[in-house]
Amino acid sequence: MPEIDIQRREGMNVPLWAWLVGAALLALLIWWIVAAATPDRQAGVPAPQEQVAGERQEQRDTIIGGPQQLPLAAIQQDPAQYHGDTVSGVVTVAEVVSDRGFWVEQNGNRLFVLDGQTVPGARDLQAGDRIQLEGPVYRTGEQGFRMPQVEGMDEQTARTLSDQQVFMHATSIQTVNQPTQGQ
């Protein structure tokens, strides 16, 4: 019978414990990479992006959202901050200039509003009406600003509008309540 020469390679005999330690280290390395790539999440604690967005929404709800009052004082104080932003809130009509323009007031602060929503004469606003407004605020001195073109704008509204540093172009106007006779 012929002899078969079998050679054993030295150094290929790795003990089982070494394989187990290597597998555990590999699993730990994969876990560390995955943990570093995902944001920390604890139960009930939002991720940083969600927290910032939530804070912005909460601040927006407090300042300009929902049925709350329009921030006229803040708009008058820093119109550049609000330029181009759509704001909404409840205000009182102080004076009606025309079918297209009127003044709103809140705690002694006034803002001119350009009605860009309706056909001239379709709305019957009167001083003292409480209304819900929504629309962008414009600061007339901003670079690239163009006065909105509104169908049926009369000369008195255009003149009043051109004298304003800041105004609102209302895209939504809803009457909240109208004063009763004798108020």
Side-chain angles (χ1 to χ4, degrees), residues 2-180:
E3 274 187 47
I4 300 177
D5 188 20
I6 300 177
Q7 296 178 351
R8 288 195 162 197
R9 293 186 193 179
E10 295 295 320
M12 292 302 286
N13 288 338
V14 179
L16 180 61
W17 66 267
W19 283 106
L20 293 175
V21 168
L25 287 174
L26 182 62
L28 187 61
L29 178 66
I30 290 171
W31 174 81
W32 180 76
I33 291 171
V34 169
T38 56
D40 292 341
R41 300 290 300 231
Q42 297 174 359
V45 177
Q49 283 179 302
E50 294 170 5
Q51 193 169 17
V52 169
E55 287 172 4
R56 274 195 222 117
Q57 184 62 41
E58 184 177 308
Q59 182 182 28
R60 180 180 171 93
D61 290 345
T62 302
I63 294 176
I64 59 178
Q68 299 170 6
Q69 294 186 342
L70 195 69
L72 294 186
I75 291 170
Q76 293 294 345
Q77 193 171 36
D78 189 7
Q81 177 184 344
Y82 289 91
H83 178 73
D85 288 349
T86 297
V87 297
S88 67
V90 177
V91 291
T92 301
V93 175
E95 176 187 346
V96 178
V97 174
S98 70
D99 291 341
R100 283 291 183 209
F102 55 94
W103 289 94
V104 293
E105 186 171 30
Q106 180 185 76
N107 300 327
N109 295 295
R110 289 171 52 116
L111 181 68
F112 188 73
V113 177
L114 178 63
D115 183 352
Q117 182 187 17
T118 62
V119 176
R123 188 179 312 284
D124 185 27
L125 288 179
Q126 298 174 4
D129 286 352
R130 301 243 329 130
I131 56 175
Q132 170 79 33
L133 286 177
E134 182 172 328
V137 172
Y138 293 111
R139 182 173 170 219
T140 56
E142 289 294 316
Q143 182 177 359
F145 171 75
R146 291 181 142 180
M147 194 65 72
Q149 298 300 313
V150 176
E151 181 184 331
M153 188 185 317
D154 62 293
E155 188 178 318
Q156 185 177 7
T157 303
R159 189 173 42 251
T160 304
L161 187 58
S162 67
D163 292 340
Q164 304 311 307
Q165 178 188 5
V166 62
F167 69 95
M168 179 181 196
H169 185 196
T171 55
S172 172
I173 303 172
Q174 298 174 359
T175 303
V176 175
N177 66 345
Q178 294 179 320
T180 59

